[in-house]
Amino acid sequence: MRPRRDERERGFLRETIGKPGPVMVQTSSRDMVYASAATPFVRQPKAAVTAPTHSAAAPSLLRQSAFACFLGSRVLSVTAYQMQTVAIGWQIYEITGSALDLGLVGLVQFVPFVLLSLLVGHFADGYDRRSVVRLCQAGMGILGLALALGTASGVIGRSLMFTVLLMIGTARTFEIPTMHSLLPGLVPTDILPRAIAASASANQAATICGPALGGLIYALGPTTVYATCAVLFATATTLSSLIPKAMRTTARQKLTLDSLTAGLVYLRGQPVLLGVVTLDLFVVLFGGVTALLPIFARDILETGPWGLGLLRAAPAVGALAVTAVLARRAPDGRLGVKLFAATAVFGAATIVFALSTSLALSLAALAVYGAADAVSVVIRMGLIQTRTPNEVLGRVLAVNSMFTGTTGTLGDFRAGVVAAATGPVASVVIGGIGAIAVTLAWIRLVPPLARIERFSPDGDGSDA
């Protein structure tokens, strides 16, 4: 079975990438080997191209200096972004007093994900990924400084703030998948799943702390928030610069339709990866509850804004707890079963939340909801990053980012539309049932996915 898989990869890369000249292939953070000039780069034997593995106890993640810089950069960037978003939303509401404008804050940042994701993949695979990340973070820092100066001088207005938001959303669209595609080259292969979990855990911590810090600092004025964000983005940029530069493994490609769609083409030929990505897409589409939390907080659980805040934080707390555990012990072994179990639990937790009239039970259900989603994310990202050739990894992750960046919003829209017709409880119950139904359907439609044992594709029968 393995030769057939390698032959499919060679055919795909031959069509998509062509025949590059001599290139250098990174085997570790320091060593390079040459790939043949006569053939396009394909996945080489593990001893030749993967980071060294260790038979002894797995090394500490933070002792990997490149990963430590990556993690610090990501935490600071996400924290600054969350702080900035909270401040912008509050300031826009102070300026206009319009609830519609608050909705537009999310929409303006959502549009670049839809329009630019395929282009992002081309840049992530064709250029130095570290430089792309650094440029995005530096750009967001400059935009933060512009907001600080504009607010301090009194020239900031609604139109200017939405223009800055669009530019921030564009930078984030480029930063996120490129940051993810950096990770496989920074740590040994045997601890990559733990590194993915640690990165997810750090992201959750920043997502929780960032809005709180932004709200607290806003008491000193929006200028102070924006100036703080500029400093955090500058520090993140510095840490990104300290990540060792990885050599490109292929010649830079021209911007063509084939290059833009290479991630989609590759996924179409990989049933396991396509199944993982689409499973997450439809489960999240059905299981979205965030948009309805204000209704549950006020009308069903009969709490105030403090209760809404707890409900919003509960999924992130659950996700943070489980990713902290997975960062120490990766979920390798029977991965397909664990993935389907996680999505089924996600749907069940959604139903429990919908039917609950107790704040404590609702918080517990949402924590389980977030924890199950985090397990699914770690497995999905681990499979994508270990089973995708480096030459197309950025484009595949860009496709994944496009799906994950849109389905959350579309899921909230679905929940709102159904709630308007049937009520909030029925809407969320239907969503939970839908998530479980998708899980059962994918077990039948994508049989190789259930048979996956480990992140490495060797010997799991998934490519039959």
Side-chain angles (χ1 to χ4, degrees), residues 172-239:
R172 286 279 291 172
T173 300
F174 277 82
E175 182 199 20
I176 293 173
T178 308
M179 199 84 175
H180 285 311
S181 62
L182 270 174
L183 186 52
L186 303 182
V187 297
T189 305
D190 56 347
I191 62 171
L192 176 58
R194 289 174 52 215
I196 294 170
S199 177
S201 179
N203 182 73
Q204 289 293 341
T207 301
I208 294 170
C209 296
L213 286 173
L216 289 173
I217 298 175
Y218 198 93
L220 302 176
T223 301
T224 307
V225 179
Y226 299 138
T228 303
C229 292
V231 172
L232 293 178
F233 278 126
T235 307
T237 304
T238 302
L239 290 174

Side-chain angles (χ1 to χ4, degrees), residues 12 35 51 80 108 114 132 164 171 190 260 266 285 313 318 323 350 366 407 414 426 460:
F12 166 76
V108 166
V114 178
V132 174
V164 171
D190 56 347
L260 288 175
Y266 182 78
L285 182 63
T323 51
T350 303
L366 287 176
T407 52
R414 179 215 63 83
D460 64 11

Side-chain angles (χ1 to χ4, degrees), residues 21 25 40 58-60 68 105 149 163 262 345 350 387 423 463:
V25 182
S60 168
V105 168
L149 294 175
T163 300
V345 170
T350 303
R387 293 169 180 246
D463 298 303

Side-chain angles (χ1 to χ4, degrees), residues 264-280:
L264 289 168
V265 173
Y266 182 78
L267 283 175
R268 189 178 63 186
Q270 301 292 323
V272 165
L273 297 185
L274 182 62
V276 169
V277 172
T278 53
L279 173 66
D280 177 80

Side-chain angles (χ1 to χ4, degrees), residues 387-402:
R387 293 169 180 246
T388 303
N390 188 57
E391 303 74 44
V392 74
L393 179 60
R395 281 166 285 186
V396 170
L397 286 171
V399 172
N400 177 71
S401 179
M402 178 175 64

Side-chain angles (χ1 to χ4, degrees), residues 193-194 196-201 204 276 279-280 283-284 315-327 329-347 366-384 449 455:
R194 289 174 52 215
I196 294 170
S199 177
S201 179
Q204 289 293 341
V276 169
L279 173 66
D280 177 80
V283 167
V284 174
V317 171
L320 177 61
V322 76
T323 51
V325 173
L326 295 178
R329 182 169 181 170
D332 222 0
R334 302 192 71 188
L335 286 179
V337 173
K338 291 175 182 176
L339 177 63
F340 284 125
T343 55
V345 170
F346 177 88
L366 287 176
V368 172
Y369 170 97
D373 184 51
V375 172
S376 173
V377 168
V378 169
I379 294 176
R380 171 167 49 87
M381 293 300 294
L383 289 171
I384 291 173
L449 190 52
F455 287 106

